[in-house]
Amino acid sequence: MPNIKSAIKRVKVTEKKNLRNRMIKSAMRTSIKKFDTAISAGTADAKLLSATSGAVDKAAAKGVIHKNAANRKKARLAKRLAKAQ
């Protein structure tokens, strides 16, 4: 544990931001897993793709993942949906 006041504050702020980022990333991953299970069950549709893309976009907007990574994920999801239908 740091002794300097500013370093103590940095640790607190970092923990808070880390928790926020983990929550956003977890929500994104959960949404992608739901999409994957729907694809394998054959019940996936454009509405579910839109919801999943929204979760990926939110993670990119908050800086949790890079925007190019978000676009790549969304493209792969759309490709899987098109292949399944």
Side-chain angles (χ1 to χ4, degrees), residues 9-77:
K9 182 180 178 184
R10 281 283 109 214
V11 169
K12 286 181 184 177
V13 169
T14 302
E15 284 175 353
K16 221 177 204 182
K17 286 185 176 183
N18 185 271
L19 176 65
R20 175 184 160 270
N21 288 344
R22 275 188 291 153
M23 285 170 42
I24 293 166
K25 194 175 264 192
S26 175
M28 179 190 72
R29 286 179 178 157
T30 302
S31 182
I32 290 171
K33 284 179 186 174
K34 282 182 185 176
F35 183 80
D36 287 341
T37 54
I39 286 280
S40 60
T43 60
D45 58 349
K47 202 174 190 180
L48 187 60
L49 176 65
S50 177
T52 306
S53 294
V56 173
D57 280 335
K58 188 178 281 189
K62 303 223 181 251
V64 177
I65 61 171
H66 195 272
K67 66 173 189 162
N68 290 351
N71 287 336
R72 183 176 64 243
K73 284 181 189 294
K74 291 192 305 183
R76 287 176 179 171
L77 291 171

